[in-house]
Amino acid sequence: MKKNLYIVTLFLLTLNLGGFAQCTPDPIYTTAGIPGVWPDTITGVASGTIGSAYSQNFTVIVPADTSVTLPPPVGTVTATINSATITGISGLPMGLTYTCDISTCIWPGNTNGCFVISGTPAQAGNFTF
């Protein structure tokens, strides 16, 4: 009985660990500290090949706050950032998926995180996601 429980526990742990990306926020981007997702889709995203494994790491930089300019009489206000969330990535070619470094894909304000787009591309073309 103990042996079966041990095997089931290992299996469940393996499933749970599989939901997290094995990535680290890139210090090139975190040192610069410019909020957003890096690299952007204009520069720095590697090309893929149909039928070949693909993996691209993206760094997420969430600011602590931001300034927003509203029409008069309000003017400029500072808004505190609670969190940034990825709820989905549309436009990925067939065969590619994403996983975040944390299971919820929610990063609190003033933190850095990452996600990985990976898989085996099954279609050719240029894709905007």
Side-chain angles (χ1 to χ4, degrees):
M1 179 65 177
K2 285 184 183 182
K3 190 174 190 179
N4 288 341
L5 183 58
Y6 179 71
I7 291 171
V8 169
T9 302
L10 283 177
F11 177 73
L12 291 174
L13 284 174
T14 303
L15 284 178
N16 192 30
L17 292 175
F20 301 96
Q22 299 298 316
C23 64
T24 304
D26 191 328
I28 290 173
Y29 303 115
T30 58
T31 301
I34 300 171
V37 176
W38 306 101
D40 61 20
T41 57
I42 307 276
T43 59
V45 178
S47 296
T49 303
I50 292 177
S52 296
Y54 178 86
S55 182
Q56 173 76 51
N57 183 59
F58 290 87
T59 297
V60 178
I61 301 173
V62 184
D65 56 40
T66 190
S67 294
V68 179
T69 302
L70 300 173
V74 177
T76 301
V77 296
T78 299
T80 300
I81 304 297
N82 181 35
S83 63
T85 305
I86 294 179
T87 58
I89 299 178
S90 60
L92 290 176
M94 289 183 348
L96 296 183
T97 60
Y98 74 96
T99 53
C100 300
D101 61 338
I102 53 178
S103 64
T104 59
C105 294
I106 300 172
W107 297 276
N110 201 33
T111 63
N112 301 318
C114 60
F115 65 94
V116 175
I117 293 178
S118 62
T120 303
Q123 66 184 117
N126 292 320
F127 300 90
T128 302
F129 56 89

